[in-house]
Amino acid sequence: RSQCFCPHMKSQFPTIRKSQEPSECQKYHCRTISKCDLQRWCSRDRYCRGFTFPKNKMRGFGCKVRGLKKCLGKRKPNGAVDFYEKAASRQMTDTVRLMRRLRMSVPECPKVGQPAVLFQHCWPRSYRGWQWKSVLYQGEYPYPHSRHCDNDRQLCVVRHCGLRGGDLSSMDIPANMKVEVYSSVNFGGSKLTLYGPMNADHNCMTKFSMNGRRSWNDRARSVKVLPK
């Protein structure tokens, strides 16, 4: 197999294997170029997963590969071209936000199993005024928004989910599920885990203390809905 033309960049592209045909979740950016220049091009691109290059050549028609990491092993082999995969530590994690940046289609999340139901206010069924309600199935939601909730666990989106970060007061949780809430977006800050079965009318978030000083009411900014 052809070796790296730029020795100082070899550690950035440790995996060399037969290239494969593009899949629906990858994008190729190609040109006639030297292998070393293509390495630099990919290395400077935070979205690049690696590059393809003709076998045993130092100059030729090479392609920078963008897309989802999960798709790297789902392509048909091409024996005439090598694929140099960027080191895992230098690759971005697969997220719905990444899919949008790459202008990829984001599917609607399937409604499987029993959902958790999140409410804006305590004792929601006796509350007389308007309030938002969000129905979330199993998944991880790092940046909840009233227009959509991205599920990075399944790489899909819940459209019009209604959930607003920093405005959650109660929730219904099925018996076989748990909900993890975080005080910052993208699962940062303090964490609280609540287990089902839980009834929103009997368990206001004011009951739960954050760091012994304040309650969790109106503090959750990212959410995970998971099986026990």
Side-chain angles (χ1 to χ4, degrees), residues 79-169:
V81 179
D82 280 334
F83 174 66
Y84 293 76
E85 184 177 349
K86 186 184 283 188
S89 61
R90 297 177 60 84
Q91 293 193 44
M92 296 186 70
T93 303
D94 288 348
T95 64
V96 175
R97 280 195 166 191
L98 175 61
M99 294 175 71
R100 289 199 184 96
R101 289 189 186 118
L102 296 176
R103 298 182 180 180
M104 299 173 66
S105 176
V106 182
E108 185 83 21
C109 289
K111 297 179 180 179
V112 179
Q114 292 181 295
V117 184
L118 285 62
F119 297 94
Q120 181 180 7
H121 298 296
C122 298
W123 309 286
R125 293 174 182 84
S126 59
Y127 186 79
R128 298 297 182 184
W130 180 89
Q131 66 173 324
W132 60 255
K133 178 179 76 172
S134 180
V135 179
L136 296 181
Y137 290 81
Q138 182 177 331
E140 299 179 1
Y141 305 91
Y143 301 97
H145 194 281
S146 59
R147 290 199 302 267
H148 57 256
C149 290
D150 296 343
N151 182 346
D152 284 345
R153 188 180 183 88
Q154 297 176 313
L155 295 178
C156 59
V157 63
V158 179
R159 305 189 196 282
H160 311 293
C161 71
L163 178 59
R164 298 178 182 178
D167 197 25
L168 172 64
S169 294

